[in-house]
Amino acid sequence: MSAQSCLAANEWICGEYLRSRSQELIDATVQHIWITVVSVLIGLLVAFPLALLARSKPAFAGPVLGLTTLLYTIPSLAMFSLLLPFFGLSSALVITGLVLYSLTILVRNIIAGLDSVPAEAKEAARGMGYGSGRLLWEVELPLALPALMAGVRIATVSTVALTTVGSIVGRGGLGNLIEDALPSLFKAQVLAASVLCVLLAVAADLLLLGLQRLLTPWTRTRTGKGRAVRPAREGRTGRPAKVGG
C-alpha cells in the first residue's frame, strides 16, 4: 500500500490503507499503550517517595522540585541523546525519558494532595492512636486521591503525546508510522496514526476520570435527589411560626 493508491480518492482519508495495513496500526497502537502505561507506573513509583521526602524534610523540597522541573525543560532529542550511552537504541531509553518527564507533574500533585488534607482529620487520627505510617495510608492518601489522580491524568495524556517522539530511536508506537510517512508525504498514514494518538489520549483521560470517581465517591455532589426540607416550625403561609409571645 503506497501513497499513489490513495490519490484517486482522497490523500488524507483512505479506506484501502486502513484495510490493508490494519495489523500495522494495531501493532503500533499496542506498543504505544505499553510504553505509556509502563512509563506512568514507573513514574508513580519514583515520584511517590520523592514527594514524601520533599514534604517531610523541607530542606529537600527545593532541590527535588527544582530538579524535576529542570528535567521537564530538557528537549526530548537532547534527553534521549543523554540517555543513549546508558540504554542504547531500546524501549528502555524511551521509557526512562518519559519517566523523567512525568516526575514534575506527579511529584507536585502528590505534594499538593497531601497538603490539602484537613488538619482536623489528621489530629483526629492521631488522637485515635494512628502512627505516621498508618496516618499516611489510611487517612492522608485517601483524602489526597483527587489531586493525585488529577496529576496521573495529566501525566498520562502528556506521556501519550511524548511517546511519539520515541520514533527517533524506532520505539515511538504510532509515532513510528508518522515519521515513516513524512518523507513520502503519505497523508493517509499520517492522519490515521495522528487520530489514533488523539483517541488514545482521550480514552486514557476518560478511563482515569472514571477510576477517580470510583475511588473518591465522597467528591460527588448529590443533585436532584429529594426535595428541600422545610423548617420544622412553619405556619400555613410558609413563614416560620412565632415562638413565644
Side-chain angles (χ1 to χ4, degrees):
M1 181 68 196
S2 62
Q4 288 75 13
S5 305
C6 290
L7 290 178
N10 189 308
E11 292 185 40
W12 288 100
I13 303 173
C14 180
E16 181 59 30
Y17 165 75
L18 297 178
R19 286 189 294 271
S20 62
R21 304 280 283 275
S22 59
Q23 189 58 50
E24 185 178 55
L25 288 169
I26 292 172
D27 292 342
T29 302
V30 170
Q31 184 187 63
H32 206 110
I33 294 172
W34 177 76
I35 291 176
T36 299
V37 171
V38 172
S39 300
V40 173
L41 289 178
I42 296 177
L44 271 173
L45 292 176
V46 176
F48 190 69
L50 287 177
L52 292 182
L53 175 65
R55 182 169 174 265
S56 61
K57 298 185 181 298
F60 288 96
V64 168
L65 294 176
L67 178 60
T68 55
T69 301
L70 176 63
L71 290 172
Y72 195 77
T73 63
I74 300 175
S76 54
L77 182 59
M79 176 72 81
F80 290 155
S81 298
L82 292 172
L83 296 173
L84 185 60
F86 303 98
F87 299 99
L89 298 175
S90 64
S91 297
L93 169 68
V94 179
I95 290 172
T96 302
L98 295 177
V99 168
L100 295 177
Y101 281 132
S102 71
L103 291 181
T104 185
I105 300 171
L106 295 174
V107 169
R108 289 178 182 275
N109 276 271
I110 293 172
I111 293 175
L114 293 174
D115 287 344
S116 69
V117 176
E120 55 268 25
K122 293 186 282 188
E123 288 300 323
R126 291 192 185 98
M128 296 172 62
Y130 280 46
S132 58
R134 189 180 178 193
L135 175 66
L136 173 65
W137 291 106
E138 296 187 20
V139 177
E140 292 182 304
L141 274 182
L143 294 178
L145 269 178
L148 195 154
M149 289 299 299
V152 172
R153 288 171 59 195
I154 296 171
T156 301
V157 172
S158 176
T159 302
V160 169
L162 286 171
T163 297
T164 58
V165 184
S167 61
I168 61 177
V169 295
R171 301 292 190 280
L174 293 166
N176 293 339
L177 300 183
I178 296 175
E179 186 179 28
D180 291 344
L182 287 178
S184 62
L185 295 179
F186 190 3
K187 297 177 182 178
Q189 182 165 309
V190 172
L191 180 63
S194 300
V195 168
L196 282 174
C197 190
V198 172
L199 291 177
L200 277 182
V202 173
D205 188 54
L206 291 177
L207 181 63
L208 289 171
L209 177 60
L211 179 61
Q212 176 181 336
R213 292 187 175 184
L214 181 66
L215 295 175
T216 58
W218 61 87
T219 61
R220 289 180 242 160
T221 57
R222 297 179 62 187
T223 57
K225 294 185 179 181
R227 298 171 60 184
V229 178
R230 299 174 69 183
R233 296 177 60 85
E234 284 189 352
R236 292 180 180 273
T237 60
R239 291 175 294 185
K242 293 184 178 180
V243 179

